[in-house]
Each structure stands twice: as structure tokens, then as C-alpha cells.
Amino acid sequence: MIDELREEQIVNKVGGRFKLSTLIQKRLVALQKGAPPLVHLHTPDKMKIVIQEILQDKIYLDVDQNVRIRTPEPGRGGPPAMDLDE
């Protein structure tokens, strides 16, 4: 088991264990389908990538239980914009 999942910090950050498991599952599916990771880790373990994305406030669940990428605050940088329609 990944050590970060044992900590209450990640559970509280997301809003509960159900939301945490939903967020993890949905983000893992997105990564498996080719979504780019939002953190730079030298590991092929997608679960570790998702955990770090959550801990670094890169992703969250919206009110409809959809995974959303948190937009960076102005002046703080962030991931490059991507136009997937091209």
C-alpha cells in the first residue's frame, strides 16, 4: 500500500475516503487513456503519480464528481495549455 494513503491529510484534502477513491479511480483511467501527468516523477507507477497530483493540489473532484485540473493562480505558472482539437 502507498504510505500517503494511510495519512489523514490526503483524505481530508479531498473531503473523505469515498471522494478520494473516486478521484483516484477516475484519474487513473484518464492516465491509462493517455492523459499527461501533471507532476514530474521518475516512476511508471500511475498510482504514485495520482497521489502526488492530489497532494500537490493539481486535481480535484467537482460537485458532479468529475475530475478537474486546478488552474494555477495568476503569476504562479502551471502546466502548458494544450489544444487537443488540433
Side-chain angles (χ1 to χ4, degrees), residues 7-17 20:
E7 301 292 327
E8 288 298 314
Q9 173 194 9
I10 194 166
V11 175
N12 295 335
K13 181 180 283 283
V14 175
R17 293 191 186 280
L20 176 60

Side-chain angles (χ1 to χ4, degrees), residues 35-55:
L38 302 173
V39 295
H40 301 289
L41 295 179
H42 299 292
T43 180
D45 188 345
K46 289 181 176 30
M47 182 69 158
K48 289 183 179 183
I49 292 170
V50 172
I51 297 302
Q52 280 305 307
E53 289 178 343
I54 295 168
L55 289 173

